[in-house]
C-alpha cells in the first residue's frame, strides 16, 4: 500500500473543517426556507393548501399580511437573539452568558409597563388596536432596554471589566424588575398585557417590523464580524489579547453596543423570548469547529431556525388555541441544555 505523506492527513482534515461551517449554513438556510413555506400554510384551522388559498383573495391576503410576516419576523427575531448570545458568550468568556445579562429584559419590561400605563388602554387595544399605541409600546420597550444597558455601563464604570458588567447587570435587572412590579401593582389592568410580553409573542409582527429588525440584524452582523478577531483574542485570555495589540476597552464597548442593540430590538418587537440566545451557540459548537466569525453567522441562523420552529409549534399544536412562543422556547432550549449537561457529566 502506498504510504501517506506526512502533511497529507492534516491537510485533508483542514479542508473538511473549513467546509463544515458552509455545509451547516446551507442546511440552516434550506430548513429555514422550508419552515417559512410551512408557516405560510399554518392557520387557525391547521394546515391549508397554498394552491387553494391563492384562488381566494381574502385567504391570500391573510397569508401575505399575517402569516408570512409573522413567520419571517420570528426568524429575524431569533437571529438577533442568537447573534447576541454568541457575542455575550464570547465577550464574557462564559458558556452560560445570554443576551439578557446586562439588564435589558428588565428595562424593556419597565418601558412596556410605563407605556401601557400612559396609554390608558385595555390590553387588547394596546397590543392589537391603534398602530400608534402599538408603536409607542414597542418604542418604549426599546428605549427601556437601552437605558438599562447604559445604567449597567455606568454602574460598572465602562466595559473594561467583565465581572463588573455582570454584577452591574444583575443589580440593574433586579431594581428595574422591582420598579416594573410596582407599576403593575398600581395599574392592575395592564397585568394581562404584561403577561403576554413576558411570555413572548410574534403574533403582532408586520412587514415594517420585519424590515426594521432585518436592518438592525444586518448592521450588527457586519459590525460583529469586524470585531470577531477580538472575540478570538479574548478566548485566549485578556493578557494574550492585549499582547496582540487589541484596544480592549474600546472594542469591548463596541461589542456591548452590538449586544444591547440586538437584544433591545428583539425584545421590543416580540417580548421576552427565553433560551434562544443561550441555546443557539451551544447547538452550533458541537457541529463545527471554527473561529468566531463563522460562529456568529451560524448562531444567528440557528437562533432564527429555533424561534421559527417554536412559533410554528405554538400555532399548530393545539390549533385554534395558541401557546406563548416563549414557553416553548424555554422548554426546548432548557431541555436541550439539561440533556447536554447530563451528557457531559456522564462522560466525566
Amino acid at each position: 500500500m502506498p504510504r501517506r505523506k506526512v502533511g497529507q492527513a492534516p491537510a485533508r482534515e483542514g479542508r473538511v473543517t473549513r467546509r463544515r461551517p458552509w455545509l451547516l449554513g446551507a442546511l440552516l438556510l434550506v430548513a429555514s426556507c422550508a419552515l417559512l413555506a410551512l408557516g405560510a400554510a399554518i392557520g387557525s384551522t391547521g394546515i391549508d393548501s397554498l394552491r387553494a388559498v391563492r384562488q381566494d383573495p381574502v385567504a391570500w391576503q391573510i397569508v401575505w399580511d399575517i402569516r408570512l410576516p409573522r413567520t419571517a419576523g420570528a426568524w429575524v427575531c431569533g437571529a438577533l437573539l442568537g447573534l447576541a448570545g454568541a457575542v455575550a458568550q464570547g465577550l464574557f468568556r462564559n458558556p452560560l452568558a445570554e443576551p439578557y445579562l446586562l439588564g435589558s429584559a428588565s428595562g424593556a419590561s419597565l418601558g412596556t409597563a410605563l407605556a401601557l400605563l400612559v396609554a390608558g388602554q385595555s390590553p387588547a387595544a394596546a397590543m392589537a388596536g391603534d398602530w400608534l399605541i402599538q408603536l409607542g409600546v414597542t418604542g418604549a420597550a426599546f428605549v427601556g432596554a437601552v437605558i438599562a444597558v447604559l445604567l449597567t455601563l455606568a454602574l460598572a464604570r465602562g466595559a473594561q471589566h467583565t465581572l463588573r458588567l455582570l454584577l452591574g447587570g444583575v443589580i440593574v435587572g433586579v431594581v428595574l424588575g422591582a420598579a416594573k412590579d410596582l407599576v403593575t401593582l398600581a395599574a392592575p389592568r395592564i397585568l394581562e398585557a404584561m403577561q403576554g410580553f413576558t411570555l413572548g409573542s410574534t403574533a403582532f409582527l408586520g412587514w415594517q417590523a420585519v424590515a426594521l429588525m432585518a436592518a438592525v440584524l444586518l448592521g450588527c452582523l457586519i459590525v460583529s464580524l469586524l470585531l470577531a478577531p477580538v472575540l478570538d483574542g479574548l478566548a485566549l485570555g485578556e493578557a494574550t489579547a492585549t499582547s496582540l495589540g487589541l484596544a480592549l476597552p474600546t472594542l469591548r464597548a463596541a461589542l456591548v453596543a452590538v449586544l444591547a442593540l440586538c437584544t433591545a430590538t428583539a425584545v421590543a418587537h416580540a417580548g421576552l423570548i427565553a433560551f434562544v440566545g443561550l441555546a443557539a451557540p451551544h447547538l452550533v459548537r458541537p457541529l463545527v469547529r471554527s473561529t468566531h466569525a463563522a460562529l456568529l453567522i451560524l448562531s444567528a441562523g440557528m437562533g432564527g431556525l429555533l424561534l421559527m420552529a417554536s412559533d410554528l409549534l405554538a400555532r399548530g399544536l393545539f390549533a385554534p388555541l395558541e401557546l406563548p412562543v416563549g414557553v416553548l422556547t424555554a422548554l426546548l432550549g432548557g431541555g436541550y441544555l439539561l440533556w447536554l449537561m447530563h451528557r457531559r457529566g456522564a462522560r466525566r
Side-chain angles (χ1 to χ4, degrees):
M1 295 179 63
R3 295 182 178 179
R4 293 180 180 177
K5 297 181 180 180
V6 176
Q8 186 174 355
R12 183 180 301 174
E13 183 180 355
R15 288 196 297 270
V16 175
T17 304
R18 284 194 296 269
R19 291 174 183 172
R20 288 185 65 183
W22 296 105
L23 177 60
L24 179 59
L27 291 176
L28 291 175
L29 180 60
V30 171
S32 299
C33 292
L35 289 183
L36 180 63
L38 182 61
I42 294 181
S44 59
T45 58
I47 299 179
D48 301 332
S49 173
L50 291 180
R51 183 175 299 178
V53 166
R54 293 192 64 178
Q55 300 175 359
D56 186 356
V58 177
W60 180 248
Q61 185 177 6
I62 292 175
V63 170
W64 180 255
D65 292 336
I66 299 177
R67 296 182 189 175
L68 279 177
R70 174 176 182 172
T71 308
W75 188 94
V76 180
C77 182
L80 286 169
L81 293 175
L83 177 61
V87 171
Q89 293 175 13
L91 177 63
F92 296 108
R93 292 180 292 166
N94 190 334
L96 295 179
E98 50 96 18
Y100 303 148
L101 273 179
L102 301 182
S104 56
S106 299
S109 299
L110 178 59
T112 300
L114 291 175
L116 294 175
L117 180 64
V118 172
Q121 298 286 330
S122 64
M127 298 305 295
D130 191 352
W131 68 272
L132 285 176
I133 298 176
Q134 185 177 351
L135 180 63
V137 173
T138 302
F142 179 82
V143 172
V146 173
I147 291 177
V149 174
L150 293 178
L151 287 176
T152 300
L153 290 173
L155 191 62
R157 298 179 182 178
Q160 291 83 1
H161 302 284
T162 55
L163 181 58
R164 286 183 181 177
L165 276 175
L166 291 175
L167 293 177
V170 171
I171 295 172
V172 170
V174 171
V175 173
L176 295 185
K180 181 263 298 182
D181 293 336
L182 290 176
V183 173
T184 54
L185 288 175
R189 68 180 182 276
I190 68 173
L191 281 174
E192 184 179 350
M194 286 305 303
Q195 183 180 13
F197 177 84
T198 304
L199 296 178
S201 176
T202 58
F204 305 105
L205 293 178
W207 285 119
Q208 292 182 350
V210 174
L212 177 60
M213 288 192 296
V216 173
L217 175 63
L218 180 60
C220 290
L221 188 59
I222 293 174
V223 175
S224 61
L225 289 178
L226 294 175
L227 298 175
V230 181
L231 297 175
D232 294 334
L234 286 174
L236 302 175
E238 292 194 11
T240 304
T242 304
S243 66
L244 295 175
L246 298 175
L248 287 184
T250 302
L251 297 176
R252 189 183 279 117
L255 288 171
V256 170
V258 171
L259 171 61
L261 186 57
C262 287
T263 307
T265 304
V267 171
H269 287 89
L272 303 182
I273 305 294
F275 273 104
V276 172
L278 178 61
H282 285 278
L283 289 168
V284 171
R285 288 192 186 97
L287 301 177
V288 295
R289 293 182 179 180
S290 63
T291 60
H292 276 87
L295 178 64
L296 293 171
I297 298 175
L298 295 176
S299 296
M302 185 66 73
L305 183 65
L306 181 60
L307 185 54
M308 183 189 290
S310 300
D311 181 64
L312 295 182
L313 288 176
R315 292 157 56 185
L317 277 179
F318 302 103
L321 298 177
E322 183 175 321
L323 296 175
V325 66
V327 175
L328 284 181
T329 57
L331 291 175
L332 294 176
Y336 170 75
L337 291 178
L338 288 175
W339 172 80
L340 187 62
M341 292 175 61
H342 174 74
R343 178 183 172 187
R344 292 182 177 178
R347 287 181 178 179
R348 293 179 181 178

